Amino acid sequence: MIAPLFGTILSGVELHQAGSGSGALQSFQQIGSALGVALPGQIFFPLVAAGLAGHLARAAFDDAFRASLVYEIAICLALAALALTLPAPRQEPRHPAPAGL
């Protein structure tokens, strides 16, 4: 999923700006990865802590996991819907490699 997405995004970048476009894309990927771990954790751990105060460890983990899973499913569905709006990558003619390479 990631490689075709990178190709689609970078196909809209001019050749002389490919390095900048790739760097920006990598930065946003890192931010997205960090948020993808942090946000479910912000849902899960407070719910576990609240449930453990009542000494119901198994129920606390079950409820916290269920809430985190609902969040994850909602985000996946929203991103899948957004992916359908992506433009098709530009198809440019491929140039043969210069002789001698």
Side-chain angles (χ1 to χ4, degrees):
M1 177 76 180
I2 299 298
L5 182 62
F6 276 33
T8 300
I9 292 169
L10 291 177
S11 70
V13 176
E14 297 295 327
L15 187 58
H16 68 281
Q17 295 178 335
S20 298
S22 178
L25 183 59
Q26 291 293 324
S27 296
F28 282 110
Q29 181 190 21
Q30 293 296 319
I31 291 168
S33 295
L35 290 175
V37 172
L39 293 178
Q42 289 296 320
I43 295 169
F44 181 79
F45 290 109
L47 291 174
V48 168
L52 289 178
H55 304 290
L56 300 173
R58 174 67 185 228
F61 279 98
D62 288 347
D63 291 342
F65 181 74
R66 190 174 296 111
S68 298
L69 191 59
V70 167
Y71 167 79
E72 294 285 342
I73 291 170
I75 291 297
C76 284
L77 291 174
L79 292 176
L82 285 174
L84 296 174
T85 66
L86 287 174
R90 291 189 296 181
Q91 298 294 326
E92 295 184 17
R94 298 188 183 221
H95 302 290
L101 290 180

